[in-house]
Amino acid sequence: MSPQERLTDALYGLGWSTVKKLPEPAAVRLGRSLADLAWKRRGKGVRRLEANYARVVPDAGPERLAELSRAGMRSYLRYWMESFRLPVWSEERIKSGFDPKDLHHLTDGIASGRGVVLALPHMANWDLAGAWVTTALRTPFTTVAERLRPETLYDRFVAYREGLGMEVLPHSGGTAFGTLARRLRDGGLVCLVAERDLSASGVPVTFFGDTATMPAGPALLAQQTGALLLPVTLWYDDSPVMRGRVHPPVEVPGTGTRAEKTSVMTQALADVFASGIADHPEDWHMLQRLWRADLDPARSAHGGTA
């Protein structure tokens, strides 16, 4: 493990061991202070976030983009402060911490027994939404986690999410898709963060007027298992409660090849994600390159950023 990896692992460990002990108002203040400090330093992540917002809000001038990136960093650090504290939140705090609209799309899908795939972008706090599902709906689910370096950091994330009631599979290794399909055929629930492609088999979509590549997995799982595919968007307001919406299902087209159906369905997901992000851009935590035009040729050939 390199010195940088050891430092990264230690900082995350410090967050989970220390921030969860803070009173909630203190954690909120700490998160905002750290966000403002990072924003003022204008590191690579902040500059990338601002560049991504420029695509989402194309008529925004420099002052508006600066406001958005500052709000975006505050939202991002709110995610981290909440995530560090989630393991010690009571069931009631988790239940009261999320208010999803149009939940019937999900509950009806679960009741049908056909399996459900929830697909969402990196908005607000997807871990809190997952904890709410396992706590308020008493419904376990399976998800996939990106392999992180160092390995000890990946292990921390897996343990954290498993502690919230999730089954976590590694993104790499080639076995995740088969396991997800089995869970769905058994009538289970699968949740996937799905606007950033980490494979070489992503689907080109039009996203805010330009081409990006998004994962094929949600659409393929729905086709192969008959599961319901439901987009979800999340956002914060000025309250301690996260908001969200479960959108109507993305249907499998009646005609076309598997690749054609996958393309249509993934574009439909991208359109829903874009609508949610346009409504709440500051809650989209995309600090990496996403659009093909922003990727260098080497990374573009591998379908995404590391």
Side-chain angles (χ1 to χ4, degrees):
M1 188 187 303
S2 70
Q4 181 62 44
E5 288 174 344
R6 281 197 297 270
L7 176 61
T8 300
D9 183 58
L11 288 174
Y12 279 101
L14 183 65
W16 268 300
S17 64
T18 302
V19 173
K20 69 182 181 182
K21 298 176 184 177
L22 295 175
E24 192 156 339
V28 170
R29 289 193 299 270
L30 175 61
R32 179 161 291 204
S33 296
L34 292 174
D36 288 349
L37 178 62
W39 177 77
K40 288 175 183 176
R41 292 182 63 183
R42 291 194 60 77
K44 182 171 66 174
V46 173
R47 296 195 306 273
R48 172 46 48 192
L49 182 67
E50 204 164 285
N52 290 339
Y53 287 159
R55 289 182 174 273
V56 174
V57 190
D59 58 346
E63 185 175 337
R64 172 63 175 145
L65 286 175
E67 291 173 354
L68 273 176
S69 64
R70 184 177 189 180
M73 289 306 295
R74 287 182 171 185
S75 176
Y76 185 49
L77 265 293
R78 176 173 171 176
Y79 160 78
W80 279 113
M81 293 299 108
E82 288 178 349
S83 294
F84 288 144
R85 291 177 49 75
L86 263 175
V88 297
W89 277 15
S90 67
E91 284 197 2
E92 285 308 310
R93 178 65 182 89
I94 291 172
K95 290 178 182 178
S96 66
F98 181 38
D99 178 27
K101 302 177 185 299
D102 299 326
L103 185 63
H104 65 278
H105 292 304
L106 174 56
T107 53
D108 290 351
I110 293 171
S112 74
R114 63 183 284 192
V116 177
V117 180
L118 293 178
L120 60 160
H122 289 80
M123 292 186 76
N125 191 337
W126 47 97
D127 286 327
L128 172 55
W132 187 91
V133 167
T134 61
T135 302
L137 300 185
R138 300 294 180 188
T139 302
F141 66 87
T142 305
T143 189
V144 174
E146 177 185 356
R147 282 281 189 189
L148 301 172
R149 289 184 62 85
E151 188 75 14
T152 51
L153 180 58
Y154 170 77
D155 291 341
R156 287 186 191 275
F157 273 95
V158 170
Y160 156 64
R161 290 180 171 133
E162 288 179 342
L164 298 175
M166 311 175 192
E167 178 187 23
V168 183
L169 308 175
H171 181 272
S172 59
T175 61
F177 188 91
T179 302
L180 295 173
R182 286 194 296 273
R183 299 292 183 268
L184 292 168
R185 291 191 180 101
D186 289 339
L189 177 63
V190 164
C191 299
L192 300 171
V193 182
E195 94 280 31
R196 180 171 170 243
D197 181 48
L198 296 172
S199 72
S201 57
V203 179
V205 296
T206 300
F207 194 55
F208 290 102
D210 207 346
T211 301
T213 305
M214 294 190 179
L220 287 173
L221 285 167
Q223 290 178 64
Q224 293 192 17
T225 68
L228 202 64
L229 175 55
L230 298 176
V232 177
T233 53
L234 308 171
W235 65 93
Y236 291 127
D237 57 19
D238 293 330
S239 78
V241 180
M242 183 176 71
R243 312 297 175 178
R245 173 170 282 109
V246 183
H247 296 266
V250 172
E251 302 291 348
V252 178
T255 60
T257 64
R258 184 174 72 170
E260 289 168 344
K261 292 177 180 180
T262 300
S263 178
V264 170
M265 295 172 73
T266 306
Q267 182 64 60
L269 280 179
D271 291 344
V272 176
F273 293 166
S275 176
I277 292 166
D279 287 341
H280 306 279
E282 68 278 3
D283 293 318
W284 186 43
H285 307 152
M286 185 51 61
L287 280 72
Q288 296 86 18
R289 299 176 188 270
L290 184 74
W291 283 269
R292 279 186 170 179
D294 294 333
L295 299 168
D296 64 43
R299 291 194 173 191
S300 183
H302 287 83
T305 56

